Amino acid sequence: MKKVLETERLILREYTLDDTQFVITLLNTEGWLAFIGDKNVRTEEDAKTYLLNGPIKSYAENGYGLSLVVTKDGLTPIGMCGLIKRDNLDCPDIGFAFLPEFTGKGYAFEIADAIITYAKDTLKLPRVYGITMPENEHSKRLLEKIGLSYQEMYSFPNQEKELMLLCYEFSN
Ligand SMILES: CC(C)(COP(=O)(O)OP(=O)(O)OC[C@H]1O[C@@H](n2cnc3c(N)ncnc32)[C@H](O)[C@@H]1OP(=O)(O)O)[C@@H](O)C(=O)NCCC(=O)NCCS
């Protein structure tokens, strides 16, 4: 199990196939379903397929991917955060989602801010994007708090929904 980074209160580590129960819970929260979308992950089998084709595949292909956020005190899994490489963007975008009982405590900011530093200083990426629904006020606020600025409206290929594309251009 690989640790990606740690902050004052949190550890970010790569997912393993032992994290299926957490994935089922997180991907069926109201916030995930409303603002990210239904991935139809309901069973252990679905969660394994999601992890293998998503985060775990990305670690092997890109050296980074969506990872699990756990508290240092208790090692409780509370959310996911990380970078996602998409075919149609030249650099990854940052993604995050937390269980509702762990929002409003600054945890998402703490880990997302650390990922920005990691992307800039460790991965040495030139920029990081953020993609969000315009009505997702919490996500927009967080993306701006960690330094991203609005670029343009954006749609994924073959999808109608208009999203906001934000970007943090690093100067290294
Ligand atoms: C987007 C999401 C991760 C944001 O989480 P969050 O907990 O609101 O974000 P933060 O970590 O920045 O926390 C901010 C709040 O914690 C409060 N807070 C409490 N203790 C804090 C601390 N020690 N440090 C910083 N903020 C603290 C802040 O005052 C702020 O409160 P406010 O929302 O009333 O202004 C969360 O809403 C979520 O999981 N949504 C569903 C999934 C989703 O939409 N993902 C994004 C798709 S693009």
Side-chain angles (χ1 to χ4, degrees), residues 9 31-32 35-36 96-99 102-110 131-133 136 138-139 141-142 145:
R9 297 180 292 173
W32 182 291
F35 296 121
I36 298 176
F96 34 68
F98 281 71
L99 297 179
F102 295 102
T103 58
K105 298 179 191 313
Y107 286 137
F109 170 73
E110 186 170 320
I131 304 168
T132 184
M133 286 186 192
N136 193 348
H138 287 289
S139 175
R141 183 142 32 108
L142 179 53
K145 233 176 2 177

Side-chain angles (χ1 to χ4, degrees), residues 103-132:
T103 58
K105 298 179 191 313
Y107 286 137
F109 170 73
E110 186 170 320
I111 210 75
D113 192 49
I115 288 176
I116 290 293
T117 305
Y118 180 80
K120 179 173 181 281
D121 296 342
T122 305
L123 299 175
K124 303 205 182 301
L125 295 172
R127 67 191 68 81
V128 161
Y129 295 104
I131 304 168
T132 184

Side-chain angles (χ1 to χ4, degrees), residues 47-96:
K48 275 194 182 141
T49 305
Y50 168 82
L51 286 168
L52 285 171
N53 295 337
I56 292 174
K57 188 172 173 201
S58 179
Y59 307 149
E61 285 183 355
N62 305 307
Y64 55 75
L66 285 171
S67 299
L68 180 68
V69 184
V70 301
T71 56
K72 269 189 182 171
D73 119 24
L75 298 181
T76 309
I78 64 167
M80 79 160 69
C81 195
L83 299 167
I84 309 151
K85 181 70 189 82
R86 307 191 192 261
D87 291 342
N88 40 317
L89 284 175
D90 59 355
C91 278
D93 60 283
I94 185 164
F96 34 68

